[in-house]
Amino acid sequence: MKALVALILLVQLPIHKAVPAATPAPLGCDDPESEAAAEVAVNYINDHSRHGYKFALNRIKNIRVLPQKLNNDVIFLELDLLETTCHILSPTPLANCTVRSFTEHAVEGDCDVKLQKLDGKFSVLASKCHSHADSSEDVHQFCPNCPLLTSLNNTEVLTTVTDALSDHNSKTADVYLRLLEIGRARIQHLPAHTVSVEFAVAATNCSAEEAKDNAKACQLLPDDQSNFGFCTATKVTQPSQDLRVDCQLYGHQVPTPDVPLLSRVFQSTGQDTSAGLVPSVVQGFTNHNLRFSHNNPVASESSSSEFPTSVLSGKSVAKRAVAEVAQHDKVPRPVGFVPPLPPCPGKIRHFKI
Ligand SMILES: *[C@@H]1O[C@H](CO)[C@@H](O)[C@H](O)[C@H]1NC(C)=O
Ligand SMILES: *[C@@H]1O[C@H](CO)[C@@H](O)[C@H](O)[C@H]1NC(C)=O
Ligand SMILES: *[C@@H]1O[C@H](CO)[C@@H](O)[C@H](O)[C@H]1NC(C)=O
């Protein structure tokens, strides 16, 4: 009996030592639990972005779970995102936002997110992202005539935005609008020279009529009355002149306590964009970079020195899983056998950049 107990202890001890917490099978990138974590992460990223557009999930690239205590895990996620057509100030829920198509010159976001899962509930501890436009070679390979994204401070782009906003303000009987930021711009040379722009605006305390006397005195409305909107405009200069502008106001939204809407746009620039200036962060760039709102190195597993041993064991678990899959592949198998999908990266939801 004693020997048996000793034997059980001997067998159990090393296992318990090596694996301190519960040991679930490594999560696959397309497991429902991974998707739930990614959804929380993407919402966090959009809620804390200050410029440009909302991003949608394209693929879960990697996931690592580091058990801390019972029902308390730290999760590192690597995500591929794609830009949608919804500006970050838009009240449209992400699920209703359209992912920008490949032919519109897509913008991809890469994010590392560190989350905690405590008693089944996810919360984001840190996020680190950057975003970049698809390469021009990539766009032109499948769409030789698609216009590419243009620098947001391009002179023609700035002129088009100024003209479009003046045109709107001169024709509306409603409130006088001011520019918040230019979101994206493209210039097409053939068959006509066409500048297409998108920009975010905000209502001021003046009507368009009142602004005619002294537009400079018109102030953006305070947070508790704020009303943002979005304009698209197309200006053709050759062979003939044409300007089309469409502006929609979103209506007043109740600001969330942690991220007041107006400060989202202005905080990181420290510049008065109400005068129609382009925020300095986009000088020379074709898209707003997620890096300016999400830049916490702790979000990356590789740069986190907090859990060196757990990270190592986490890595080796994954490596083993990959090795097992590889082994599996070498075994001769009957026709019709479908090999198990590798746990990561996960499926592409929209398209590959
Ligand atoms: C979002 O889409 C759902 C389903 O298509 C629809 O019922 C809902 O009204 C939409 N919401 C907004 C704000 O567009
Ligand atoms: C808008 O607000 C500014 C600053 O408070 C004020 O000087 C101006 O008269 C206001 N304009 C109108 C039309 O109320
Ligand atoms: C846009 O910004 C870049 C970087 O600051 C600058 O080099 C370039 O001259 C600017 N272009 C225009 C048209 O202002």
Side-chain angles (χ1 to χ4, degrees), residues 12 31 47 121 204 282 285 295 297 309:
Q12 283 187 338
D31 288 352
D47 286 348
K121 223 176 139 337
T204 62
V282 298
F285 293 98
N295 193 13
T309 51

Side-chain angles (χ1 to χ4, degrees), residues 34-345:
S34 309
E35 296 189 332
E39 189 181 339
V40 170
V42 172
N43 287 335
Y44 175 92
I45 289 161
N46 288 319
D47 286 348
H48 290 79
S49 290
R50 299 198 189 105
H51 299 280
Y53 299 86
K54 296 187 190 190
F55 277 79
L57 182 65
N58 192 30
R59 178 165 72 163
I60 302 176
K61 221 154 62 184
N62 210 348
I63 181 163
R64 297 257 185 271
V65 181
L66 309 180
Q68 306 295 299
K69 294 181 189 135
L70 191 63
N71 295 326
N72 184 356
D73 297 331
V74 164
I75 298 173
F76 288 97
L77 274 178
E78 280 177 53
L79 305 175
D80 281 346
L81 312 179
L82 283 172
E83 189 187 85
T84 70
T85 56
C86 295
H87 192 264
I88 49 149
L89 295 172
S90 161
T92 306
L94 181 65
N96 294 42
C97 295
T98 314
V99 165
R100 198 76 73 167
S101 80
F102 183 77
T103 54
E104 280 180 279
H105 200 164
V107 174
E108 185 179 50
D110 292 311
C111 292
D112 291 331
V113 187
K114 181 183 175 184
L115 301 98
Q116 182 177 41
K117 187 185 181 197
L118 188 60
D119 297 327
K121 223 176 139 337
F122 295 103
S123 54
V124 174
L125 301 174
S127 61
K128 181 175 180 237
C129 299
H130 66 97
S131 51
H132 59 273
D134 194 4
S135 72
S136 41
E137 294 79 24
D138 220 12
V139 178
H140 280 161
Q141 188 178 354
F142 297 103
C143 183
N145 296 322
C146 283
L148 299 173
L149 284 174
T150 301
S151 187
L152 295 172
N153 70 338
N154 172 291
T155 316
E156 265 192 278
V157 169
L158 297 179
T159 314
T160 302
V161 169
T162 308
D163 291 355
L165 197 50
S166 314
D167 185 76
H168 172 86
N169 280 329
S170 70
K171 288 178 181 158
T172 186
D174 202 2
V175 291
Y176 180 75
L177 300 181
R178 274 197 159 171
L179 176 65
L180 285 182
E181 69 174 23
I182 302 173
R184 50 157 53 216
R186 293 189 300 164
I187 300 180
Q188 187 159 19
H189 302 284
L190 290 168
H193 189 85
T194 310
V195 185
S196 308
V197 293
E198 297 182 5
F199 52 98
V201 292
T204 62
N205 66 342
C206 300
S207 66
E209 190 60 38
E210 286 165 331
K212 277 183 187 146
D213 300 329
N214 187 8
K216 284 211 157 53
C218 302
Q219 302 286 316
L220 294 183
L221 297 171
D223 253 2
D224 61 349
Q225 300 162 36
S226 65
N227 189 358
F228 302 109
F230 190 71
C231 303
T232 54
T234 312
K235 185 179 167 188
V236 181
T237 51
Q238 275 171 11
S240 56
Q241 302 268 334
D242 186 37
L243 176 65
R244 275 156 214 249
V245 190
D246 177 49
C247 292
Q248 304 285 337
L249 278 174
Y250 296 137
H252 177 65
Q253 302 162 63
V254 181
T256 43
D258 55 331
V259 198
L261 285 170
L262 246 190
S263 56
R264 267 207 213 173
V265 180
F266 292 116
Q267 232 168 40
S268 64
T269 66
Q271 202 176 344
D272 180 18
T273 52
S274 61
L277 298 169
V278 184
S280 55
V281 288
V282 298
Q283 294 293 310
F285 293 98
T286 59
N287 65 282
H288 294 275
N289 198 327
L290 279 173
R291 180 162 62 87
F292 292 117
S293 308
H294 299 274
N295 193 13
N296 187 334
V298 176
S300 319
E301 186 195 17
S302 54
S303 59
S304 166
S305 53
E306 284 172 68
F307 313 98
T309 51
S310 321
V311 168
L312 281 176
S313 69
K315 276 239 166 80
S316 63
V317 165
K319 268 196 194 132
R320 232 181 298 134
V322 170
E324 273 160 25
V325 170
Q327 276 288 312
H328 209 144
D329 272 355
K330 288 187 195 124
V331 178
R333 49 180 183 255
V335 179
F337 174 86
V338 181
L341 289 171
C344 282

